[in-house]
Amino acid sequence: MSVLPLVFTSGWASGINAYAVVLLLGVFGATGLTDEVPESLQRTDVLIAAGVLFLCEAVADKIPYVDSVWDAAHTVIRPIAGAVVAALLAGESGSLPELAAGAVGGSTALMSHLVKAGTRMAVNTSPEPFSNVALSVTEDLGVAGIITFAMFNPVAAAVIAGVLLVLGLVTVVLLASRIRRFLRRRAQRREEKRLAAGGRPSG
């Protein structure tokens, strides 16, 4: 079960920025920092694709409302990425069944993704863009830091990831009213666009 802490940590991080996780693990494996990264993540084409997509996310993630659209599009992508990375890590170590690892990585990625998406909805109720930028940079640095730490101390990194996940879930619950406000504003904008395009209000 030695790979389980890394599986959990990579799942948590994938829910926040899956491309950064793939890029970091691939680089760590390619440079020989760890032997637990499968060769499929170290391939040049995988690293290039992850790098390009990471740059796209780095930009989209810092623009109000665009970040929420990006999150919506990644509701499926991030959990799948977390599950695939976890299964690959398990297959490389042989200490945990790949199916079980995929379930852990995917479910953890889904929960952390929901935390991120919910937090962004709450932040987007504020008119200024600086909070989006600050939150995005914090998330990027957090993912990079905890994945790097997991290479040297996977158990401690998993504990930190677990604490952050619980704190994130509690924060989303506390921000529920702001999230509902964001959803109402988005629905209102869609209705205004529909009416401007010549539609008629339903009912």
Side-chain angles (χ1 to χ4, degrees), residues 53-64 66-67 70 136 140:
L53 290 169
F54 169 74
L55 292 176
C56 292
E57 175 147 338
V59 174
D61 211 35
K62 295 173 177 61
I63 304 174
V66 173
D67 57 352
W70 184 270
S136 177
D140 291 342

Side-chain angles (χ1 to χ4, degrees), residues 11-186:
W12 172 84
S14 294
I16 298 173
N17 193 326
Y19 306 124
V21 173
V22 173
L23 181 61
L24 286 169
L25 289 177
V27 170
F28 291 154
T31 55
L33 183 63
T34 177
D35 296 328
E36 294 191 24
V37 178
E39 293 184 4
S40 56
L41 294 179
Q42 303 177 35
R43 290 170 38 183
T44 302
D45 57 338
V46 172
L47 292 176
I48 292 175
V52 171
L53 290 169
F54 169 74
L55 292 176
C56 292
E57 175 147 338
V59 174
D61 211 35
K62 295 173 177 61
I63 304 174
Y65 294 101
V66 173
D67 57 352
S68 289
V69 173
W70 184 270
D71 285 338
H74 283 72
T75 300
V76 175
I77 296 174
R78 286 172 184 158
I80 290 177
V84 170
V85 169
L88 290 173
L89 291 172
E92 183 73 9
S93 71
S95 60
L96 182 69
E98 294 178 28
L99 184 60
V104 172
S107 59
T108 306
L110 177 60
M111 286 189 289
S112 62
H113 163 75
L114 294 176
V115 168
K116 174 176 180 173
T119 305
R120 288 311 180 87
M121 288 180 187
V123 169
N124 280 333
T125 60
S126 175
E128 45 76 28
F130 304 108
S131 53
N132 296 76
V133 175
L135 188 57
S136 177
V137 172
T138 300
E139 290 170 350
D140 291 342
L141 292 176
V143 167
I146 201 165
I147 289 295
T148 302
F149 185 47
M151 295 295 100
F152 303 97
N153 199 327
V155 175
V159 171
I160 294 173
V163 171
L164 291 175
L165 180 59
V166 172
L167 290 176
L169 291 170
V170 172
T171 300
V172 168
V173 172
L174 295 176
L175 294 174
S177 61
R178 297 190 68 174
I179 294 172
R180 288 194 295 268
R181 192 186 316 161
F182 170 86
L183 294 173
R184 285 196 300 267
R185 287 182 180 179
R186 187 170 64 177

